[in-house]
Amino acid sequence: MAVNLDKEAYYRRIKRLYSNWKKAEDEFGKVDAIVVSVGVDEEIVYAKSTAIQTWLFGYELTDTIMVFCDTKIIFLASKKKVDFLKQVAVTKGNENANGVPPITLLTREKNESNKANFDKMIEAIRGSKEGKTVGIFSKDKFPGEYMKSWNDTITAEGLEKVDISAVVAYTMAVKEDGELSLMKKAAAITSEVYSKFFKERVMEIVDADEKVRHSKLAESVEKAIEEKKYLGGADPSTVEMCYPPIIQSGGNYSLKFSVVSDKNHMHFGAITCAMGIRYKSYCSNLVRTLMVDPPQEMQDNYNFLLQVEEELLKQLKHGVKICDAYTAVLEYVKKEKADLVAKLTKNLGFAMGIEFREGSLVLNAKNQYKLKKGMVLSVSLGFADLLNKDGKKDESKKYALFIGDTIQINEEEAATILTPVKKKIKNVGIFLKNDDEEDEEEEGDDAEELLGKGARSAALLADRTRNEMTAEEKRRAHQKELANHLNEEAKRRLTEQKGEQQIQKARKSNVSYKNVSQMPREKDIRDMKIFIDKKYETVVMPVFGIATPFHIATIKNISMSVEGDYTYLRINFYVPGSSLGRQEGNIFPNPDATFVKEITYRASNLKAPGDTSVPSTNLQNAFRIIKEVQKRYKTREAEEKEKEGIVKQDSLVINLNRSNPKLKDLYIRPNIAQKRMQGSLEAHTNGFRFTSVRGDKVDILYNNIKHAIFQPCDGEMIIVLHFHLKNAIMFGKRRHTDVQFYTEVGEITTDLGKHQHMHDRDDLYAEQMEREMRHKLKSAFKNFIEKVETLTKEELEFEVPFRDLGFQGAPYRSTCLLQPTSSSLVNTTEWPPFVVTLDEVELVHFERVQFHLKNFDVVIVYKDYNKKVTMINAVPVNSLDPIKEWLNSCDIKYTEGVQSLNWTKIMKTIVDDPEGFFEQGGWSFLDPESEGSGAEEDSESEMEDETFNPSADEEEEEEEDSDEDYDSETEDSDYSASVGSEEESGKDWDELEEEARKADRESHYEDEDTAAAAAATNKKRKSRSSAPPPSKKKRRS
């Protein structure tokens, strides 16, 4: 048969219907038989009669009458439909085999009367229980003679009709696993269409300032579901809209699903959008409000609406009465913001399934039905008629906020959201430029129009230059503010930390034996030989005829040498003042005690008569065993050191639900074992668990994740989920703060020996397959991330690196692409990974920034000055401006210099004397624009030679300040210049001055008038000269 019927589902569901009927609760207790009649009406989209047919058979059967009696079921339909229904008809002699009454199939006659068939059905109704009342769906009224004649027959028989819509809806409301998967798929498609089409389209409209009518936008959404790219791989023929999308803005809002989008143009304020998609007859629903430049009050109201929805989801649990959940939410709104109670929507949602809206299961104050696990609801709540105080136009004075999701009821936990579309203010708010900036732009445009064609290009160039300078000046001004704030904040932070002195851990004191009774009684000890006690990790050595124990931890190293007939064993010990290894502490518990620095033993290599062995054998054995014990001890100590400081994590709460978000076939880095192994990553209640194929488990708790980073496979050979942890975790005998899960995309290695041709079919096919693989992996990872974010109620958010802002650099040995995220700078594709948290960064310094160099280095200084600075080498110089722009936008201070600095010494100086450091200006010493930080050579020469001042103003000031001294100097120098300028031009200034003094003394040329004249002449000469005499230092150079 062409069309198959799911017999198992039919039997399960018909059993459920009959068991609820037999309980005789509510309207089920009043009916003796149930009649479901479906005619033909293209206009009816949702009807209980067609819904129960779809629920039982998976298809709608038009012109079919179903009569459910106490002991039998009768179907009256056309021949084709009877053939289809034969799949569930019970054969003779096998009645009640499946616990349901047998089915009688009646074929509809071609004439419209069908009296004989109607009589058989009436007879069955009369024989069912008391045979007086029939349960029907009173709202379902199908046109046509066939339906009319059947309804007339029931009326003529005097049968009482009882509406059983509510009780049947309650029976169908609890969804099976198969139904839930269809509804989840429907919800996922709705989310995709909203995110990938509607939201993007609204952004385009706002950006381009287009005028688009609500009705046109709604039509474009309906057309979008015909395109496969928005449907997440679903067949377009199985997808349809539950109702025409409802888009509202500009003050006209009706927060219902029965309205249609009007023909008004979309207003850039609060834009509400409601859309629902039906997949294989099962419905879903989604409501969001997008806000363009929302004022603070609107944002506060929206955030409160999100809190109200959160409260509603907490109330919606198995066994809770609908009215109680509604009342609890209403009380919450009264308590938090009583003025918004009147603005809240009258109902908060409804049950949903094959029918979009189940009228008997609406979330309001009167509904007494209890919620059950497996029900799917559409929750939708909003505030209507809110006033915008900042609104100037009529459209912006009134606004509404409306949000809604498709949710699933759970046993004890809060309801699960099936439409994981982000709805925080940062996800739905569209923030444009300020009005002031727009006004400036408009003024600029007007000015440009007034200019002639010839002057316009020049004006445009000048305007562009001016703007560029303004942007640079803005950046500098912002950096200046950051510098002031940086020094104040660092000073305050270090003052607070002053009291917290770092306690240096004393070296562990290892005791060999706590008392004499533990000393071994071995023959070697009595014979004064070296004995190694492996149990207590101790070497017992004879010292002056006494067996003396030394713990293995006290031994620094041992060496053995053979010289002539003797073997020497030299043992060196750790003592105060000796250079210790990096891992060994250099503080001794009692440094004033007497220490043994080294011991050397000598033994003969010659065998004496009567000896069983050579005497040096003992030293050789001791050397070998000491080495073994030392190695074992050091390995154990290293493992203990790894475990030191590990914060004990909470236990992972395993969620036994099979529908947990899960990714399979992933590799973990760092590896658990020597060989890399595949495994699966599964999200549970409070964390992730990675299980390898070998059975190894690694648990990562949500509250221990500092950064969760998703690195897509765009331009990469792997796709990565990276977790940077707050506290290190142990696995594979080592501690790790970075754990990542990845899978490879395509072939990482290429066979260069293979003959390749541009149009080789195999290569083209392989490329196509790789593209598809990339798309599938990306979708799978994104789906996993969305589910995890929903599961954690967006407390754990995955960051995606901004590839456009990335720059090349070498934080370790090799160059890689470093990419910023919203809160960090990362590279996760190379190993080891590089992750820097921006909130922990104090400032960034650029080293070796010079015109003739192609690369520069980036130094990242942390707020914790005890932490080692991070160096990123070999960053291309063309990345300097983009990095500056990015750091400036993140409010991080940056500086630059031409030299490489010794950061270890700088940080030690700061930590040793933080107060002195900030009294001297703090970090301003890095800033080239700060005082006294010009080029090093020039500043040195200026300090040593104060006479070299090319500024004329400074010369005049000096002359005024020291007239007397200067007069005498100029008098001497002027005369000396006049005397020796022609004859001895090769002599230096010292010699000339000395000769001038001698000449003065000889000619007695020192009377006051002449001195004054000489001074005046010298002043005139000096004012004419372009520069003063060079300093002594410069002459010598």
Side-chain angles (χ1 to χ4, degrees):
M1 191 173 285
V3 182
N4 288 321
L5 192 154
D6 188 345
K7 290 187 273 188
E8 293 299 320
Y10 167 78
Y11 289 129
R12 276 198 314 273
R13 293 168 189 178
I14 202 76
K15 270 185 203 173
R16 197 200 300 179
L17 181 66
Y18 267 86
S19 66
N20 282 7
W21 184 14
K22 283 172 185 173
K23 286 177 190 172
E25 292 173 358
D26 302 319
E27 281 79 16
F28 269 143
K30 300 175 187 175
V31 299
D32 299 320
I34 298 169
V35 174
V36 179
S37 51
V38 177
V40 180
D41 190 348
E42 294 295 327
E43 290 180 9
I44 295 176
V45 180
Y46 302 111
K48 192 68 75 231
S49 308
T50 54
I52 198 169
Q53 283 185 347
T54 306
W55 186 60
L56 290 172
F57 311 121
Y59 298 94
E60 287 182 17
L61 307 175
T62 53
D63 285 338
T64 302
I65 299 169
M66 301 188 291
V67 177
F68 300 97
C69 301
D70 191 21
T71 55
K72 64 165 78 171
I73 299 170
I74 301 175
F75 294 156
L76 173 61
S78 64
K79 190 176 183 305
K80 275 189 180 179
K81 295 185 185 79
V82 166
D83 289 341
F84 169 71
L85 293 168
K86 276 178 184 175
Q87 295 176 72
V88 289
V90 181
T91 54
K92 202 168 183 181
N94 196 23
E95 287 86 351
N96 289 307
N98 293 290
V100 292
I103 296 173
T104 304
L105 298 174
L106 302 176
T107 306
R108 180 184 159 199
E109 295 168 12
K110 290 197 174 176
N111 60 348
E112 292 297 332
S113 66
N114 283 284
K115 191 171 184 310
N117 288 330
F118 289 170
D119 289 344
K120 285 177 187 175
M121 289 193 289
I122 294 294
E123 186 185 334
I125 292 168
R126 290 288 185 197
S128 177
K129 295 188 180 181
E130 294 179 13
K132 294 179 181 176
T133 56
V134 289
I136 60 159
F137 304 128
S138 58
K139 285 188 179 176
D140 294 0
K141 290 175 181 173
F142 289 90
E145 283 298 317
Y146 178 48
M147 286 294 115
K148 187 175 180 297
S149 59
W150 168 241
N151 290 328
D152 290 347
T153 305
I154 294 176
T155 310
E157 289 293 328
L159 295 168
E160 188 186 339
K161 294 177 183 176
V162 176
D163 186 14
I164 55 166
S165 301
V167 286
V168 169
Y170 196 59
T171 303
M172 294 164 61
V174 178
K175 305 292 183 285
E176 297 172 354
D177 288 346
E179 293 178 287
L180 284 173
S181 63
L182 289 173
M183 295 198 80
K184 284 175 183 175
K185 180 68 176 173
I189 294 169
T190 307
S191 306
E192 285 277 296
V193 172
Y194 169 82
S195 303
K196 290 186 177 176
F197 179 79
F198 177 77
K199 189 179 174 185
E200 292 296 320
R201 181 72 187 107
V202 170
M203 300 274 273
E204 285 172 16
I205 291 166
V206 172
D207 279 346
D209 200 11
E210 289 181 50
K211 284 194 173 183
V212 178
R213 298 184 191 276
H214 295 142
S215 53
K216 285 285 181 189
L217 187 55
E219 282 174 24
S220 67
V221 174
E222 287 192 76
K223 284 179 185 172
I225 66 166
E226 294 170 11
E227 294 184 46
K228 212 167 183 178
K229 62 180 176 181
Y230 300 121
L231 305 182
D235 182 1
S237 63
T238 59
V239 177
E240 59 182 324
M241 299 300 297
C242 295
Y243 56 91
I246 303 164
I247 298 154
Q248 303 175 91
S249 67
N252 297 322
Y253 301 95
S254 176
L255 307 186
K256 296 175 183 176
F257 297 103
S258 53
V259 296
V260 292
S261 302
D262 59 31
K263 292 187 178 179
N264 294 334
H265 289 111
M266 190 170 78
H267 174 256
F268 299 164
I271 305 160
T272 66
C273 167
M275 65 171 71
I277 284 174
R278 203 176 185 198
Y279 175 67
K280 292 187 178 177
S281 302
Y282 283 86
C283 299
S284 63
N285 197 26
L286 175 71
V287 185
R288 289 290 181 268
T289 301
L290 294 172
M291 292 168 281
V292 181
D293 278 337
Q296 192 56 48
E297 188 184 6
M298 188 187 288
Q299 292 182 41
D300 294 343
N301 287 338
Y302 182 80
N303 285 329
F304 178 64
L305 184 60
L306 293 181
Q307 291 169 22
V308 176
E309 189 191 27
E310 195 71 33
E311 185 64 27
L312 175 62
L313 295 180
K314 286 179 190 171
Q315 299 295 332
L316 299 176
K317 292 178 187 173
H318 177 79
V320 175
K321 277 189 177 179
I322 288 174
C323 56
D324 293 346
Y326 179 87
T327 309
V329 171
L330 207 62
E331 288 301 318
Y332 176 78
V333 178
K334 280 180 186 174
K335 181 184 165 189
E336 299 293 330
K337 285 195 177 184
D339 55 318
L340 291 176
V341 173
K343 311 287 187 186
L344 189 67
T345 44
K346 299 305 172 201
N347 67 63
L348 304 178
F350 41 80
M352 189 166 58
I354 296 169
E355 286 188 275
F356 173 67
R357 184 180 187 274
E358 188 42 72
S360 59
L361 292 171
V362 176
L363 304 183
N364 58 27
K366 297 175 184 177
N367 203 320
Q368 296 294 315
Y369 280 111
K370 284 184 179 179
L371 294 168
K372 288 188 178 180
K373 182 187 174 185
M375 284 186 173
V376 176
L377 309 181
S378 165
V379 295
S380 50
L381 56 163
F383 297 128
D385 298 327
L386 295 169
L387 297 176
N388 180 12
K389 293 171 187 173
D390 301 337
K392 294 171 185 175
K393 297 178 182 177
D394 292 341
E395 295 95 333
S396 54
K397 284 179 182 175
K398 252 189 186 181
Y399 70 94
L401 301 171
F402 199 21
I403 58 170
D405 286 288
T406 304
I407 62 147
Q408 179 187 334
I409 304 296
N410 297 321
E411 186 86 46
E412 292 174 0
E413 301 167 5
T416 306
I417 295 176
L418 303 181
T419 42
V421 177
K422 293 180 182 178
K423 50 182 178 283
K424 285 186 179 177
I425 198 81
K426 63 180 181 183
N427 305 118
V428 297
I430 302 168
F431 296 91
L432 304 172
K433 286 194 287 188
N434 295 330
D435 292 336
D436 299 343
E437 290 178 25
E438 287 175 7
D439 292 345
E440 284 175 18
E441 283 180 14
E442 284 171 16
E443 287 170 19
D445 292 343
D446 295 341
E448 195 176 309
E449 282 174 20
L450 294 170
L451 293 166
K453 282 184 182 179
R456 193 167 294 175
S457 58
L460 183 64
L461 182 65
D463 183 51
R464 188 184 297 167
T465 312
R466 187 171 66 250
N467 286 343
E468 283 174 7
M469 288 299 291
T470 307
E472 179 62 27
E473 281 167 13
K474 277 182 185 176
R475 200 162 70 187
R476 283 183 184 173
H478 187 219
Q479 285 295 311
K480 203 170 183 180
E481 286 171 24
L482 288 174
N484 297 334
H485 178 70
L486 171 72
N487 281 333
E488 288 168 17
E489 183 66 25
K491 197 173 180 181
R492 181 189 62 75
R493 194 172 62 248
L494 288 170
T495 309
E496 287 174 6
Q497 291 174 354
K498 197 178 176 184
E500 303 171 15
Q501 290 183 351
Q502 199 175 359
I503 301 163
Q504 205 167 14
K505 199 176 176 185
R507 191 159 177 261
K508 193 169 132 186
S509 177
N510 293 290
V511 178
S512 295
Y513 305 111
K514 291 181 180 175
N515 51 56
V516 184
S517 62
Q518 290 178 333
M519 277 278 286
R521 305 275 185 267
E522 298 291 329
K523 185 177 180 296
D524 283 357
I525 295 174
R526 289 197 299 274
D527 293 346
M528 289 297 143
K529 291 182 179 179
I530 297 173
F531 175 76
I532 295 92
D533 185 353
K534 290 185 180 179
K535 183 183 176 184
Y536 289 100
E537 294 178 328
T538 297
V539 182
V540 182
M541 307 180 200
V543 179
F544 298 118
I546 299 166
T548 311
F550 290 88
H551 194 275
I552 199 76
T554 62
I555 297 173
K556 187 178 181 183
N557 54 48
I558 59 171
S559 62
M560 191 173 70
S561 60
V562 178
E563 294 178 14
D565 295 340
Y566 293 96
T567 296
Y568 293 86
L569 179 68
R570 181 176 174 177
I571 302 172
N572 294 319
F573 297 92
Y574 285 115
V575 291
S578 66
S579 58
L580 306 182
R582 191 174 285 179
Q583 270 69 41
E584 310 289 341
N586 60 352
I587 296 174
F588 288 82
N590 187 6
D592 297 329
T594 303
F595 289 84
V596 178
K597 188 174 184 182
E598 66 176 78
I599 294 178
T600 304
Y601 290 95
R602 186 182 79 167
S604 173
N605 293 334
L606 302 173
K607 188 177 177 182
D611 286 351
T612 54
S613 61
V614 177
S616 62
T617 309
N618 175 251
L619 293 189
Q620 291 167 2
N621 290 339
F623 177 76
R624 179 176 52 80
I625 298 168
I626 289 171
K627 282 280 188 189
E628 284 176 15
V629 174
Q630 210 174 19
K631 185 180 178 184
R632 194 173 65 201
Y633 172 76
K634 283 182 177 175
T635 305
R636 197 180 71 248
E637 283 288 296
E639 284 179 12
E640 283 177 13
K641 192 165 179 67
E642 282 290 325
K643 289 177 186 173
E644 244 176 51
I646 291 283
V647 178
K648 192 176 185 302
Q649 303 292 320
D650 300 332
S651 298
L652 183 73
V653 179
I654 301 292
N655 188 354
L656 298 172
N657 191 349
R658 286 184 182 178
S659 61
N660 287 340
K662 191 173 186 179
L663 278 176
K664 295 179 181 177
D665 302 330
L666 297 179
Y667 294 107
I668 184 172
R669 278 203 293 203
N671 297 333
I672 300 173
Q674 286 183 337
K675 283 185 74 178
R676 66 175 191 166
M677 281 184 293
Q678 280 192 329
S680 60
L681 182 69
E682 190 168 4
H684 291 280
T685 307
N686 66 334
F688 296 102
R689 168 164 282 181
F690 175 79
T691 310
S692 73
V693 288
R694 199 176 69 177
D696 305 284
K697 290 182 174 62
V698 177
D699 294 344
I700 300 170
L701 301 186
Y702 300 140
N703 60 9
N704 191 32
I705 296 172
K706 188 188 278 188
H707 298 292
I709 297 153
F710 167 51
Q711 175 68 61
C713 50
D714 303 326
E716 303 288 351
M717 294 309 291
I718 58 172
I719 185 166
V720 181
L721 286 182
H722 185 94
F723 299 111
H724 183 65
L725 307 179
K726 295 173 187 172
N727 301 305
I729 60 169
M730 285 286 293
F731 64 87
K733 294 185 181 179
R734 294 186 72 83
R735 56 195 291 172
H736 306 284
T737 49
D738 284 287
V739 185
Q740 67 175 223
F741 305 96
Y742 71 97
T743 189
E744 291 170 355
V745 185
E747 293 179 19
I748 288 182
T749 56
T750 306
D751 183 4
L752 296 175
K754 179 186 166 188
H755 175 69
Q756 292 180 332
H757 190 266
M758 185 175 154
H759 302 294
D760 190 341
R761 285 189 180 183
D762 290 343
D763 284 357
L764 292 172
Y765 179 70
E767 282 180 24
Q768 180 63 27
M769 289 298 289
E770 187 176 315
R771 274 196 292 273
E772 287 176 13
M773 172 67 109
R774 282 175 183 270
H775 181 69
K776 278 182 185 175
L777 283 171
K778 209 169 167 185
S779 301
F781 272 70
K782 277 188 176 177
N783 192 24
F784 175 79
I785 287 166
E786 285 170 0
K787 284 179 180 175
V788 169
E789 286 179 344
T790 307
L791 180 69
T792 59
K793 294 173 184 166
E794 295 188 15
E795 284 177 17
L796 177 69
E797 282 197 47
F798 282 82
E799 303 172 48
V800 179
F802 303 116
R803 196 175 180 85
D804 296 343
L805 297 176
F807 57 92
Q808 296 289 334
Y812 303 115
R813 290 178 183 176
S814 60
T815 303
C816 57
L817 180 66
L818 301 166
Q819 302 173 77
T821 72
S822 53
S823 64
S824 59
L825 176 67
V826 301
N827 171 266
T828 56
T829 51
E830 303 286 332
W831 195 262
F834 177 82
V835 181
V836 170
T837 306
L838 298 182
D839 287 344
E840 294 175 3
V841 174
E842 180 85 304
L843 69 102
V844 175
H845 181 66
F846 306 123
E847 292 184 340
R848 301 191 307 111
V849 179
Q850 298 182 45
F851 289 115
H852 64 279
L853 294 179
K854 290 182 180 178
N855 298 322
F856 65 96
D857 302 332
V858 177
V859 179
I860 297 170
V861 181
Y862 296 97
K863 289 176 181 174
D864 178 4
Y865 291 165
N866 293 308
K867 191 174 177 182
K868 191 181 175 186
V869 300
T870 298
M871 296 278 293
I872 303 170
N873 300 317
V875 180
V877 77
N878 58 2
S879 299
L880 183 60
D881 275 343
I883 294 172
K884 283 183 179 178
E885 194 61 48
W886 165 62
L887 290 171
N888 196 52
S889 67
C890 296
D891 291 338
I892 293 174
K893 169 71 181 163
Y894 63 79
T895 55
E896 64 179 78
V898 294
Q899 288 186 330
S900 295
L901 303 174
N902 187 336
W903 284 97
T904 310
K905 283 187 179 177
I906 290 171
M907 298 314 292
K908 190 176 184 303
T909 307
I910 297 169
V911 171
D912 290 347
D913 183 18
E915 289 176 0
F917 173 69
F918 286 107
E919 278 172 15
Q920 292 170 11
W923 292 107
S924 59
F925 81 93
L926 290 173
D927 202 331
E929 293 177 4
S930 65
E931 294 177 11
S933 60
E936 283 78 357
E937 293 174 10
D938 292 347
S939 62
E940 282 176 18
S941 62
E942 281 175 21
M943 287 172 71
E944 289 181 23
D945 179 20
E946 293 174 3
T947 60
F948 181 61
N949 292 304
S951 167
D953 296 334
E954 288 176 9
E955 285 174 18
E956 286 173 14
E957 284 173 15
E958 279 189 13
E959 286 165 12
E960 288 168 9
D961 291 343
S962 54
D963 280 336
E964 293 175 9
D965 299 334
Y966 190 66
D967 283 347
S968 62
E969 283 178 25
T970 50
E971 181 185 340
D972 297 342
S973 61
D974 183 54
Y975 188 76
S976 65
S978 62
V979 172
S981 58
E982 292 176 9
E983 296 173 8
E984 301 172 21
S985 57
K987 295 180 180 179
D988 91 56
W989 279 91
D990 288 343
E991 293 170 0
L992 292 170
E993 283 173 3
E994 188 58 39
E995 285 178 12
R997 283 195 188 93
K998 284 178 184 177
D1000 286 340
R1001 280 195 294 274
E1002 286 169 6
S1003 61
H1004 305 287
Y1005 194 64
E1006 286 180 4
D1007 59 89
E1008 290 178 8
D1009 297 336
T1010 315
T1017 310
N1018 186 51
K1019 278 187 183 179
K1020 285 178 186 176
R1021 182 183 60 75
K1022 187 164 185 179
S1023 64
R1024 283 196 301 271
S1025 65
S1026 58
S1031 66
K1032 294 175 187 177
K1033 182 181 175 183
K1034 295 214 171 185
R1035 280 200 311 277
R1036 284 194 295 272
S1037 64

